[in-house]
Amino acid sequence: MDALRDVLDWLSGRGLEVVLIILGSVLLARFVGWVGDKITTRIDRNSTGGDALVRSEAAKHRHSLTQVLTWSLVVLIYSISVFFILDRLGIPVTGLVAPATVLGVGLGFGAQRIVGDVLAGFFIITERQYGFGDVVSIQVVGGGDPASGTVEDVTLRVTRVRSPDGEVVTVPNGQIVKVVNLSRDWARAVVDVPVPTSVDVTRANEILRGVGRDAFRDPAMRPLLLDPPTVMGVETLGLDEVNVRVVARTLPGRQFEVGRDLRARIVQAFRSQGMQVPAPTTAVMAQDGATAVQEGVR
């Protein structure tokens, strides 16, 4: 009976305090997460007007920074609650210093990759290499196919990317060796149009210029284009055909939509002139002009 009475006394005293600390830490962490979601939602709404693909660089950075701060606060809340629980359980924290030191040294060798991920994530965020909503192509250690898609989450440890097929790819920040940002400030859609050598190139250039002018005057396309599409001229020569390049500077993240529209307009324009043109090849380029994606469209 004395033992049962001691247990009941502990549960009504320190045990109740432990339960309240656990509940309080969980509720506080959920509140911090809820506030973080509200802030990021407000940032996106104010910076995009409802369009998730068009964000300013400052808004992307604020969104990523809010996510990191929210994650850090949640970790801090749970860490402090652990110390309070240990104190209520009568376990001296100072007595855990020596075992924790030995454990920390042992884990340090195994946690090198985690530390590398956190440091890489810190520099990704502070240097604004990319942020939430950016369209990126990430190359990881070991080569292989890069992770391409839209950034959905950036933390100190990992980056989550939604691929065009809807798959979520999680990449540890420490494993990233190269990032191609396709939506930094502005983007560029480059359409290479194969023209048979039997066709007058000057006439083909005039048709393509007309397509660019029509696209720039189109109310649906005008908001996506920063300037009228430009015909760069003959890009490559072949035995049976030449490639004429058309370049369009677009809003970030909208180069794919503009490229598809230009290809459809080009095919229709050439057919209306009685010219049969093979399927064009499109190269979508980032601001630095480096080719990022190439695809054939029929």
Side-chain angles (χ1 to χ4, degrees):
M1 293 298 293
D2 293 338
L4 179 60
R5 186 179 301 106
D6 292 339
V7 171
L8 293 176
D9 291 340
W10 184 86
L11 290 176
S12 61
R14 291 192 174 185
L16 181 60
E17 292 180 359
V18 170
V19 173
L20 292 177
I21 290 173
I22 294 175
L23 290 177
S25 61
V26 171
L27 292 176
L28 185 57
R30 287 181 176 273
F31 176 75
V32 170
W34 177 80
V35 172
D37 291 339
K38 288 292 184 181
I39 294 175
T40 54
T41 301
R42 184 174 182 179
I43 291 173
D44 293 339
R45 184 173 61 250
N46 293 340
S47 62
T48 65
D51 192 336
L53 286 179
V54 182
R55 294 179 174 88
S56 66
E57 295 303 319
K60 295 174 185 176
H61 180 68
R62 288 196 297 269
H63 187 115
S64 300
L65 190 59
T66 302
Q67 288 180 322
V68 171
L69 291 177
T70 301
W71 178 81
S72 301
L73 286 175
V74 171
V75 173
L76 181 62
I77 289 170
Y78 283 126
S79 300
I80 294 175
S81 66
V82 168
F83 284 104
F84 277 113
I85 292 172
L86 292 177
D87 180 66
R88 295 301 185 276
L89 293 176
I91 301 175
V93 179
T94 55
L96 298 176
V97 173
T101 303
V102 177
L103 182 62
V105 173
L107 292 177
F109 294 100
Q112 291 180 2
R113 178 170 296 181
I114 296 177
V115 175
D117 293 341
V118 172
L119 289 176
F122 172 79
F123 286 111
I124 287 173
I125 295 171
T126 55
E127 295 174 358
R128 303 189 182 189
Q129 297 178 15
Y130 55 83
F132 176 80
D134 275 331
V135 181
V136 298
S137 177
I138 300 177
Q139 186 71 47
V140 298
V141 175
D145 296 333
S148 301
T150 304
V151 177
E152 288 195 341
D153 191 15
V154 182
T155 68
L156 288 178
R157 200 182 72 83
V158 298
T159 296
R160 292 185 178 86
V161 177
R162 176 78 64 176
S163 71
D165 296 330
E167 302 167 336
V168 176
V169 182
T170 302
V171 181
N173 293 330
Q175 303 298 308
I176 298 175
V177 295
K178 179 182 178 181
V179 177
V180 179
N181 194 330
L182 305 180
S183 56
R184 184 66 179 266
D185 299 327
W186 53 269
R188 185 166 57 189
V190 180
V191 180
D192 287 334
V193 184
V195 178
T197 54
S198 58
V199 175
D200 185 1
V201 176
T202 302
R203 182 188 174 198
N205 288 339
E206 289 298 326
I207 295 175
L208 294 176
R209 291 190 184 96
V211 169
R213 289 192 295 267
D214 293 340
F216 195 67
R217 288 194 295 262
D218 190 339
M221 292 295 297
R222 179 65 181 86
L224 308 182
L225 294 168
L226 300 180
D227 43 42
T230 304
V231 179
M232 305 300 293
V234 177
E235 183 68 20
T236 59
L237 295 173
L239 294 177
D240 300 323
E241 63 184 25
V242 297
N243 284 327
V244 181
R245 174 161 293 182
V246 180
V247 176
R249 205 161 61 100
T250 74
L251 291 176
R254 290 306 187 93
Q255 62 269 38
F256 307 104
E257 181 178 346
V258 171
R260 287 191 294 267
D261 185 88
L262 286 177
R263 291 196 295 274
R265 292 173 183 269
I266 290 170
V267 171
Q268 293 177 0
F270 274 69
R271 286 180 177 175
S272 66
Q273 297 294 324
M275 301 166 56
Q276 296 296 326
V277 181
T281 299
T282 299
V284 178
M285 295 190 175
Q287 180 180 359
D288 59 2
T291 302
V293 179
Q294 289 188 339
E295 56 181 2
V297 179
R298 297 186 182 275

